[in-house]
Amino acid sequence: MKKICTFILISILFSSLAITSQENSAILVQKAEKIESAKKETEPDSGRKGFFLCFEPFVLVNTMDSKKSAPSPIIFPITGGIQIPMKKKLIFEPRLSLFLNYYLWDGEKAAPSEIENRTGTVLSLLLDLPFGTSLMSKKNFSLSWNAGPAILARFAFLSNGVKDSDKGESGTAQDDVNEINKWFWSNANFLYLTANINYLYHFNPKFAAGPEIRAYLPIGSLISSNGLNGAIICIGLKAQF
């Protein structure tokens, strides 16, 4: 009888220990899941799909004769884009910038001009098609970069106050505008290589903002041995939604 009682007590003890162990394991799993969930909520997701806006003035580098054209103008574009996650942690980040500025024709090339010397007003659409990735992602911060081709589509028309019959370098003001438009699409003057780097603070999982630096290398200008004439440098703020 004693042996039976002892066996029963030992069985109950082991059963209790097994149940307690299972309960402790379940608690530990729940705690681990909560910790992992908290990490996902607090860690920045720099690779998620989302829209962004940029508030970045452009410096359009002009190395031509300043007596004929304007010093490197500062332009304030409207810029927006979308971030699209790809395979192997790549991010495709197309963006479009819209801006206006003045140009003149110096007899050989189109050049940015000051308002008093303008011939044409130019509507510009700058399309970036870069790929990139995240370099660092810690707590509420992320550091990312990208690079790729860019296309600068420009269309010139007579500026307000300029008559088509006014005197120009190629004949009339309208002739100059025609030459400006031809120059924009000749010798790859529309083609650029772009690269940028940004450092964003993630206020919450759906909003981040921070400084960004971008640069555009003018392929057409390099081909034509004009150096960095037409290069673009941007420094400003990126806001991602």
Side-chain angles (χ1 to χ4, degrees):
M1 184 71 179
K2 289 182 179 180
K3 290 182 178 179
I4 295 173
C5 291
T6 302
F7 176 76
I8 292 172
L9 288 172
I10 291 172
S11 298
I12 293 171
L13 179 61
F14 274 103
S15 298
S16 300
L17 290 173
I19 292 169
T20 303
S21 178
Q22 289 177 354
E23 289 177 348
N24 289 337
S25 297
I27 292 170
L28 290 173
V29 170
Q30 289 177 356
K31 286 183 178 180
E33 288 176 349
K34 287 181 180 180
I35 292 171
E36 186 65 24
S37 177
K39 283 184 179 180
K40 288 182 179 179
E41 290 179 358
T42 56
E43 286 181 357
D45 184 7
S46 57
R48 68 178 177 82
K49 184 176 181 179
F51 296 92
F52 60 87
L53 296 173
C54 299
F55 308 92
E56 302 167 351
F58 286 4
V59 176
L60 181 59
V61 177
N62 180 24
T63 61
M64 296 175 63
D65 186 354
S66 60
K67 293 180 180 178
K68 292 183 178 180
S69 62
S72 300
I74 297 176
I75 301 166
F76 296 89
I78 299 171
T79 303
I82 184 171
Q83 179 174 280
I84 305 172
M86 308 289 285
K87 293 182 179 179
K88 296 182 180 180
K89 297 184 179 181
L90 280 177
I91 301 170
F92 179 45
E93 197 172 283
R95 71 174 72 197
L96 184 65
S97 300
L98 171 67
F99 56 94
L100 291 169
N101 62 317
Y102 298 120
Y103 269 79
L104 56 78
W105 179 252
D106 73 348
E108 296 180 358
K109 297 183 289 291
S113 72
E114 295 174 318
I115 188 169
E116 59 269 21
N117 296 323
R118 74 195 188 283
T119 300
T121 299
V122 175
L123 172 64
S124 299
L125 295 171
L126 179 58
L127 176 63
D128 298 15
L129 300 168
F131 288 85
T133 187
S134 176
L135 296 175
M136 180 187 69
S137 183
K138 291 187 177 181
K139 293 184 178 178
N140 295 326
F141 294 92
S142 65
L143 179 66
S144 303
W145 75 279
N146 62 55
I151 298 172
L152 179 57
R154 292 173 284 190
F155 176 73
F157 52 92
L158 282 173
S159 295
N160 185 37
V162 178
K163 297 179 180 179
D164 57 2
S165 59
D166 287 349
K167 185 179 179 181
E169 289 291 329
S170 59
T172 66
Q174 185 59 57
D175 292 332
D176 281 3
V177 168
N178 294 339
E179 291 297 326
I180 290 170
N181 280 320
K182 289 179 184 177
W183 186 87
F184 285 155
W185 294 101
S186 65
N187 300 321
N189 288 320
F190 57 89
L191 186 60
Y192 283 76
L193 286 178
T194 180
N196 84 55
I197 188 167
N198 59 70
Y199 187 67
L200 302 183
Y201 178 82
H202 294 253
F203 294 89
N204 57 55
K206 294 185 178 180
F207 178 70
E212 179 179 67
I213 300 175
R214 277 188 291 152
Y216 295 84
L217 193 65
I219 302 303
S221 186
L222 293 173
I223 292 173
S224 303
S225 300
N226 290 318
L228 293 178
N229 185 54
I232 301 173
I233 301 171
C234 323
I235 300 176
L237 178 69
K238 178 182 180 181
Q240 184 173 304
F241 306 91

